[in-house]
């Protein structure tokens, strides 16, 4: 089973592009805190990709600093660069987004899809 659930904050606004078939593809990085025994914290920066409706949701409702929970799966890709060196990338393919944390003054309930 390949299932991932992460909570973190967006490091910047999602970058959204559309394929030739007009399918939205959103890319963003989620900063996820790691906790240790002595309350020491470290942060992992997780690359995330959403497709279709999930990407359109990200484009419309997500922005830098927003705390969210994502559900998805891990995907590992490999390719050869221009110097014929093998490169690897690990990403989370996002299937669902959830808001978490408190609302800011700028957020208006009428803008949200629920």
């Amino acid at each position: 089973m390949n299932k991932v659930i992460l909570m973190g904050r967006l490091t910047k606004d999602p970058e959204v592009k559309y394929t030739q078939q007009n399918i939205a593809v959103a890319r963003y990085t989620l900063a996820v805190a790691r906790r240790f025994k002595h309350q020491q914290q470290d942060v992992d920066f997780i690359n995330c990709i959403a497709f279709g409706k999930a990407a359109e949701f990200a484009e419309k409702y997500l922005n830098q600093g927003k705390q969210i929970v994502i559900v998805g799966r891990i995907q590992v890709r490999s390719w050869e660069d221009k110097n014929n060196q093998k490169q690897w990338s690990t990403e989370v393919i996002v299937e669902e987004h959830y808001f978490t944390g408190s609302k800011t003054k700028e957020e208006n309930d009428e803008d949200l899809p629920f």
Side-chain angles (χ1 to χ4, degrees), residues 93-110:
I93 305 302
V94 178
E95 297 164 353
E96 304 169 46
H97 294 101
Y98 297 97
F99 294 111
T100 185
S102 60
K103 293 181 182 178
T104 63
K105 290 180 182 178
E106 294 83 31
E107 289 178 332
N108 184 343
D109 285 347
E110 294 176 19

Side-chain angles (χ1 to χ4, degrees), residues 17-33:
K17 295 182 179 179
Y18 286 81
T19 66
Q20 290 179 345
Q21 294 79 24
N22 205 32
I23 297 170
V25 179
R27 294 178 182 271
Y28 56 87
T29 301
L30 199 62
V32 178

Side-chain angles (χ1 to χ4, degrees), residues 13-68:
D13 292 351
E15 178 184 315
V16 180
K17 295 182 179 179
Y18 286 81
T19 66
Q20 290 179 345
Q21 294 79 24
N22 205 32
I23 297 170
V25 179
R27 294 178 182 271
Y28 56 87
T29 301
L30 199 62
V32 178
R34 265 192 276 166
R35 294 190 190 266
F36 296 98
K37 288 183 180 181
H38 302 291
Q39 298 301 323
Q40 191 177 353
Q41 248 187 4
D42 203 0
V43 177
D44 291 308
F45 296 93
I46 311 294
N47 293 322
C48 302
I49 303 175
F51 295 94
K53 297 284 185 195
E56 292 169 6
F57 179 91
E59 181 177 36
K60 188 169 183 180
Y61 297 107
L62 302 184
N63 52 34
Q64 181 179 2
K66 186 166 297 274
Q67 185 177 28
I68 62 171

